[in-house]
């Protein structure tokens, strides 16, 4: 079934790898563990990428929803 609401789409992505891009251009790829109504997100096995290249591995990360511009399946 196709998700019609944004939070439904995020829920479908839970426990899957996603790419998150922030307003400052930084990109993070990791497994989406949880999120709230403000789109604050927790990722596990996180990689920070710069220009598509691995910059560093972070483990677990919390990203503030008001800094996120894009969430996409990897």
């Amino acid at each position: 079934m196709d998700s019609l609401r944004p939070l439904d789409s995020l829920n479908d992505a839970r426990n899957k790898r996603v790419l998150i891009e922030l307003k400052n251009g930084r990109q993070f790829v990791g497994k989406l563990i949880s999120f709230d109504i403000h789109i604050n997100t927790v990722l596990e096995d996180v990689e920070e990428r710069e220009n598509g290249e691995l910059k560093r591995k972070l483990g677990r990360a919390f990203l503030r929803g008001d800094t996120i511009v894009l969430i996409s399946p990897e």
Side-chain angles (χ1 to χ4, degrees), residues 8-43:
D8 290 340
S9 294
L10 272 181
N11 212 25
D12 290 345
R14 192 176 303 211
N15 295 315
K16 297 178 184 160
R17 288 182 61 82
V18 295
L19 164 72
I20 295 182
E21 186 169 326
L22 305 184
K23 290 178 182 177
N24 64 8
R26 294 170 76 182
Q27 294 182 334
F28 297 89
V29 175
K31 184 165 73 169
L32 179 64
I33 300 302
S34 62
F35 61 90
D36 64 15
I37 61 168
H38 304 289
I39 317 301
N40 296 317
T41 61
V42 176
L43 300 179

